[in-house]
Amino acid sequence: MLTRLYSTEHPETHFCAFAPGVVDTPIQDELLSREPDERYAAVEALRAKRGTAEMPRPQEAAGPLLDALETLPRLVSSGAFADIRSLRG
């Protein structure tokens, strides 16, 4: 909602709430070092993605993120939410 508000108050600037997807950053080390726990299915989903294209390392994610940032103003209206996973098809 804040992004939507900013886009209304500053129409000369394109604002977008941008989700970069799951990136293999140091927080993944912390999350995935814990013992599996059935109460946290999302952690197991992350564990399954690690080392795959679904969870790139920062160096691998940087290029697509920069490309997406350049094209977002053409793809989504100002004030909108965009997820890189849906932008990539």
Side-chain angles (χ1 to χ4, degrees), residues 14-68:
H14 185 273
F15 289 90
C16 180
F18 183 54
V22 181
V23 179
D24 195 357
T25 61
I27 191 66
Q28 302 298 344
D29 295 335
E30 176 64 28
L31 290 171
L32 302 178
S33 70
R34 298 171 186 259
E35 291 295 319
D37 188 324
E38 64 186 35
R39 295 176 297 170
Y40 305 110
V43 174
E44 292 312 307
L46 289 173
R47 197 179 312 277
K49 290 179 181 183
R50 195 162 212 195
T52 71
E54 291 185 74
M55 186 189 292
R57 294 177 304 132
Q59 301 87 336
E60 298 161 336
L65 287 172
L66 290 172
D67 292 343

